[in-house]
């Protein structure tokens, strides 16, 4: 129950974040999508033991969050929800991988190193995806999908699903609340009501689809959803993608922290 | 069952994206061919319905815990496999973006694991065959249970394979399978029960909805489904071949195969295969990325490095110092941007 309310709240919160104004928000959605995709692909391409070499990639989410004035709170909360799964799989590695690695004369388990690497990768990938939606919004992502020549019907379907989610979540929440007020079950729904409860929501949903379709027809819907042209791509968008792309590739090829550390310790010695 | 980006390699993620894009392109063509304009808003609303239904917790009998609906099979039953697959895809896209379930690179795998197996394997080959011509509550129950369980088992097995081919963890194949399959058996049973309950309710309350849905499916015809199945099977074989080719050129694939082989023969410490494996691991597991070298785009390059004992205190110290410096720099950058944001706000 609180799940449903939370989901509505989460989606609205992201909508609000995406409607703010900043240098990042003004970038073309396609530029942000491409930068995030390059980031994700390079992030996961690192070796399974990579930990320190991954650290320069922290710059991207920190930069985007700070420049777009995205508060860290909602991001961290979302991270906490998703992290247990990543940690769960990662945590199995120390159990199965008993080989060791030598750091500073201390022996360290390779399994723990893999765990650390998975944890870092997971955190960074999740943060970058969340930042994409927090700075671009669903309409922006749909717009860039169209620019990438994804078929119209697919984008339309995704946008319609998104549009109706809050409507139907509210309806589901009302139904579940009505049930909870009449039944005293605390942990989930009892088996006898699975069909009737969900089925009722389903039938109402379908009736609603009918009404929605009629309304759309009355307003001139001919199987296409016009989103308008959207902003054009500019010089800044290209620079954004190229700069970050170059930085990601550089840090993938060269272990920047190690280089920095060599410079530091080399000077001090 | 959502895969996370952290567990996947670009090759596996890319291959699964390609497979998913192929299935989606075919579905789009199919849906457009038989397009009844009315279906688009219905698909949208149904996607939202499944999304909402996933938030509702069902008590799992006898355990005191609760689970939720996945929805792939229900979508296939109500909308037909093609529209069902597309609807499932859009739900997963929204989940990946807003709830960070999975990630952008793992999205292809997630759509494939949760959409393809339910809509294109479990629905036509199990549900449709078992439900036959005359629908009855009993048949609905048996068919949905079987289809949901098998669909989820296939999906879970695909997750195991994708993780192993990606080589990001050291989990042995047999252990991972033994962890994943039973858990998803339990989930599959709940999924089947919920799906059956909903379908029977709708069938009793508004039989015309089910009839309409099955008429829409009939538009696709039986022959074309066979065609898509063979096409996708070919794609899957090809993908598998390509994946294993990549994996076998990579020490991880070898390790995996060895572990699998030794796992099946009862893992004993004295087993020569195990010793060999340990030797391979010893060679490969030494912080390959910490050697100061420009490795090309070839991922395995680091692990082919023969000079692994070169990892000494000096490089480790440099790595640690550099790592801390990097993090401090990143934090400093964020701080400066925040500061400039605030000062810019003041005059306005």
């Amino acid at each position: 129950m609180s799940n449903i309310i939370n989901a509505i709240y989460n989606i609205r919160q992201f909508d609000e974040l995406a409607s703010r104004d900043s240098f990042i928000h003004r970038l073309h959605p396609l530029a942000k999508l491409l930068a995030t995709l390059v980031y994700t692909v390079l992030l996961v391409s690192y070796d399974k033991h990579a930990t320190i070499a991954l650290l320069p990639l922290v710059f991207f989410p920190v930069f985007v969050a700070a420049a777009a004035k995205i508060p860290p709170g909602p991001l961290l909360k979302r991270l906490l929800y998703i992290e247990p799964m990543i940690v769960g799989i990662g945590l199995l590695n120390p159990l199965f991988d008993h080989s060791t690695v030598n750091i500073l004369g201390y022996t360290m388990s390779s399994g723990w190193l893999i765990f650390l690497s998975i944890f870092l990768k997971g955190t960074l990938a999740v943060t970058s995806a969340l930042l994409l939606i927090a700075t671009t919004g669903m309409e922006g992502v749909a717009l860039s999908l169209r620019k990438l020549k994804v078929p119209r019907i697919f984008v339309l379907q995704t946008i319609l699903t998104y549009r109706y989610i809050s409507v139907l979540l509210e309806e589901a929440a009302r139904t579940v609340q009505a049930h909870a007020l009449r039944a005293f079950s605390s942990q989930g729904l009892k088996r006898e009501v699975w069909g009737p409860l969900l089925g009722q929501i389903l039938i109402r949903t379908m009736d609603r689809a009918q009404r929605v379709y009629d309304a759309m027809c009355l307003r001139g819907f001919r199987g296409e959803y016009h989103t308008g042209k959207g902003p054009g791509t500019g010089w800044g968008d290209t620079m954004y993608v190229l700069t970050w792309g170059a930085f990601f590739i550089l840090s993938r090829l060269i272990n920047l922290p190690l280089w920095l550390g060599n410079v530091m310790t080399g000077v001090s010695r | 069952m959502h895969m996370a980006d952290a567990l996947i390699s670009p090759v596996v993620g890319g291959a699964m994206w390609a497979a998913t894009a192929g299935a989606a392109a075919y579905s789009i063509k199919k849906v457009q061919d038989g397009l009844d304009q009315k279906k688009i808003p219905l698909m949208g609303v149904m996607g939202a319905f499944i999304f909402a239904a996933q938030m509702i917790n069902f008590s799992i009998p006898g355990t005191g815990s609760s689970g939720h609906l996945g929805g792939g099979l229900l979508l296939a039953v109500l909308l037909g496999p093609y529209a069902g697959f597309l609807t499932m895809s859009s739900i997963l896209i929204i989940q990946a973006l807003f709830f960070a379930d999975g990630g952008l690179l793992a999205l292809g795998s997630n759509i494939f694991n949760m959409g393809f197996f339910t809509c294109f394997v479990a629905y036509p080959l199990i549900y449709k065959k078992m439900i036959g011509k005359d629908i009855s509550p009993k048949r609905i129950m048996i068919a949905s249970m079987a289809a949901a369980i098998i669909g989820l088992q296939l999906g879970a097995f695909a997750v195991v394979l994708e993780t192993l081919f990606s080589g990001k963890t050291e989990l042995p194949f047999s252990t991972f399978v033994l962890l994943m399959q039973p858990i998803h058996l339990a989930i599959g049973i709940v999924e089947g029960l919920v799906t059956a309950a909903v379908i029977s309710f709708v069938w009793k309350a508004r039989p015309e909805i089910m009839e309409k849905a099955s008429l829409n499916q009939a538009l696709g015809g039986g022959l074309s489904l066979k065609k898509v199945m063979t096409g996708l099977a070919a794609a899957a074989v090809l993908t598998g071949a390509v994946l294993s080719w990549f994996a076998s050129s990579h020490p991880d694939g070898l390790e995996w195969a060895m572990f699998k082989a030794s796992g099946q023969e009862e893992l004993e410490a004295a087993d020569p295969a195990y010793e060999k494996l340990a030797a391979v691991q010893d060679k490969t597991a030494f912080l390959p990325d910490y050697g100061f070298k420009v490795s090309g785009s070839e991922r395995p390059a680091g692990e082919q490095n023969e000079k692994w004992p070169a990892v000494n205190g000096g490089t480790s110290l440099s790595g640690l110092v550099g790592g801390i410096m990097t993090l401090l720099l990143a934090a400093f950058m964020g701080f400066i941007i925040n500061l400039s944001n605030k000062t810019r706000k003041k005059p306005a």
Side-chain angles (χ1 to χ4, degrees):
Chain A
M1 180 61 199
S2 60
N3 250 341
I4 306 180
I5 305 293
N6 261 338
I8 301 173
Y9 174 71
N10 282 337
I11 287 181
R12 291 214 175 130
Q13 192 179 31
F14 270 110
D15 273 342
E16 271 167 33
L17 288 176
S19 64
R20 289 186 178 186
D21 184 44
S22 79
F23 145 69
I24 300 281
H25 285 84
R26 280 190 297 269
L27 284 171
H28 193 275
L30 188 58
K32 287 178 269 188
L33 182 69
L34 286 180
T36 312
L37 280 178
V38 174
Y39 180 78
T40 314
V41 170
L42 283 172
L43 172 71
V44 297
S45 79
Y46 276 82
D47 182 78
K48 64 182 166 192
H49 288 112
T51 46
I52 286 177
L54 279 170
L55 292 180
L57 293 183
V58 172
F59 275 96
F60 180 62
V62 169
F63 173 82
V64 173
K69 292 173 248 177
I70 303 293
L75 291 177
L76 291 176
K77 222 172 101 192
R78 219 59 46 85
L79 261 175
L80 275 182
Y81 281 129
I82 205 73
E83 210 73 80
M85 238 172 54
I86 300 169
V87 169
I89 297 272
L91 213 51
L92 290 171
N93 279 290
L95 294 178
F96 290 111
D97 185 6
H98 293 296
S99 55
T100 52
V101 163
N102 196 353
I103 293 181
L104 280 176
Y106 295 103
T107 345
M108 196 179 166
S109 140
S110 153
W112 282 108
L113 212 59
I114 293 177
F115 166 68
L116 201 65
S117 176
I118 287 177
F119 176 76
L120 272 174
K121 279 179 197 157
T123 307
L124 291 176
V126 165
T127 315
S128 66
L130 288 174
L131 280 171
L132 172 70
I133 203 74
T135 58
T136 314
M138 196 59 205
E139 303 275 331
V141 171
L143 187 78
S144 48
L145 286 179
R146 278 302 293 149
K147 285 252 150 110
L148 290 173
K149 305 281 175 228
V150 173
R152 186 178 293 276
I153 187 169
F154 187 75
V155 177
L156 175 63
Q157 149 65 15
T158 308
I159 276 289
L160 285 181
T161 300
Y162 175 70
R163 282 283 174 87
Y164 294 135
I165 277 176
S166 42
V167 175
L168 284 184
L169 277 177
E170 276 165 24
E171 195 145 320
R174 271 199 300 276
T175 312
V176 172
Q177 184 157 41
H179 167 265
L181 288 172
R182 288 163 179 81
F184 296 100
S185 58
S186 50
Q187 177 67 257
L189 302 170
K190 288 247 169 63
R191 241 205 87 182
E192 305 80 69
V193 300
W194 287 3
L197 196 125
L198 215 52
Q200 278 296 353
I201 303 178
L202 178 69
I203 287 172
R204 281 161 75 153
T205 301
M206 289 181 145
D207 291 345
R208 191 155 200 157
Q210 177 70 47
R211 289 202 300 279
V212 164
Y213 176 68
D214 292 345
M216 283 167 90
C217 283
L218 285 173
R219 287 164 181 78
F221 180 72
R222 298 274 179 279
E224 270 196 34
Y225 184 81
H226 301 278
T227 45
K229 254 188 118 180
T233 47
W235 177 237
D237 301 312
T238 319
M239 280 311 291
Y240 181 79
V241 178
L242 288 182
T243 314
W244 277 117
F247 176 71
F248 300 150
I249 291 171
L250 181 75
S251 40
R252 177 67 186 88
L253 295 179
I254 302 170
N255 190 335
L256 288 175
L258 188 64
W259 175 77
L260 192 64
N262 273 337
V263 171
M264 297 299 293
T265 51
V267 168
S268 65
R269 244 181 254 160
Chain B
M1 208 153 77
H2 294 72
M3 291 272 294
D5 272 346
L7 298 174
I8 209 166
S9 73
V11 174
V12 174
M16 295 313 290
W17 258 107
T20 299
Y26 192 84
S27 305
I28 286 168
K29 201 172 157 284
K30 275 294 180 192
V31 168
Q32 265 170 341
D33 282 352
L35 192 67
D36 165 19
Q37 299 292 335
K38 215 172 156 179
K39 214 167 189 179
I40 302 175
L42 181 62
M43 279 164 65
V45 178
M46 282 299 295
F49 164 72
I50 294 292
F51 196 97
Q54 285 182 347
M55 302 282 158
I56 299 174
N57 283 322
F58 300 98
S59 60
I60 297 173
T63 59
S65 63
S66 64
H68 67 81
L69 187 69
L73 183 64
L74 190 60
L75 282 174
V77 171
L78 293 168
L79 294 171
Y82 308 112
F85 181 76
L86 293 180
T87 307
M88 197 68 212
S89 313
S90 56
I91 296 170
L92 288 167
I93 289 176
I94 292 166
Q95 284 180 341
L97 288 172
F98 283 85
F99 296 91
D101 265 343
L104 294 182
L105 191 66
L107 190 57
S109 316
N110 284 327
I111 295 175
F112 198 87
N113 299 345
M114 285 183 258
F116 179 81
F117 291 117
T118 48
C119 293
F120 292 126
V121 179
Y123 172 70
L125 301 181
I126 298 160
Y127 180 86
K128 249 182 134 180
K129 292 259 152 69
M130 286 179 80
I131 205 109
K133 285 271 184 301
D134 42 9
I135 304 172
S136 70
K138 204 174 155 194
R139 282 201 168 189
I140 291 177
M141 174 58 100
I142 297 170
S144 347
M145 279 293 275
I149 289 172
I150 292 172
L152 250 84
Q153 287 292 304
L154 288 173
F157 190 64
V159 170
V160 172
L161 286 186
E162 285 152 20
T163 311
L164 286 169
F165 280 132
S166 295
K168 298 283 160 185
T169 73
E170 290 289 341
L171 299 187
F173 174 80
S174 50
T175 319
F176 201 11
V177 162
L178 283 177
L179 285 171
M180 283 294 278
Q181 305 303 135
I183 290 173
H184 285 88
L185 182 65
I187 299 173
I189 291 172
V190 175
E191 172 98 30
L193 286 171
V194 174
T195 308
V198 176
I199 294 173
S200 340
F201 180 84
V202 174
W203 183 70
K204 270 183 219 150
R206 299 270 291 274
E208 80 278 5
I209 289 177
M210 305 288 298
E211 275 156 28
K212 239 185 248 169
S214 66
L215 273 183
N216 277 349
Q217 290 147 19
L219 275 177
L223 242 169
S224 57
L225 196 65
K226 215 179 256 173
K227 230 192 276 169
V228 72
M229 283 313 299
T230 40
L232 282 160
V237 170
L238 194 72
T239 316
V242 171
L243 284 184
S244 55
W245 179 68
F246 270 102
S248 60
S249 70
H250 193 281
D252 287 346
L254 183 70
E255 279 175 43
W256 168 72
M258 284 178 143
F259 223 124
K260 193 186 158 198
S262 58
Q264 277 165 352
E265 299 160 10
E266 282 308 309
L267 206 135
E268 288 167 38
D271 195 322
Y274 182 76
E275 272 170 31
K276 214 170 173 186
L277 171 74
V280 172
Q281 272 192 340
D282 272 353
K283 250 190 206 142
T284 56
F286 272 84
L287 289 173
D289 262 14
Y290 290 70
F292 186 36
K293 65 189 177 339
V294 182
S295 63
S297 53
E298 268 182 330
R299 269 178 317 125
E303 297 186 58
Q304 282 156 4
N305 183 15
E306 289 299 317
K307 300 182 293 179
W308 58 266
V311 177
N312 55 32
T315 26
S316 303
L317 180 65
S318 300
L320 281 178
V321 170
I324 293 165
M325 291 288 299
T326 310
L327 285 181
L328 284 177
L329 270 175
F332 183 65
M333 180 187 71
F335 178 72
I336 293 292
I337 297 173
N338 264 337
L339 211 65
S340 75
N341 276 342
K342 269 179 200 150
T343 47
R344 210 181 298 157
K345 225 184 262 172
K346 259 178 203 161

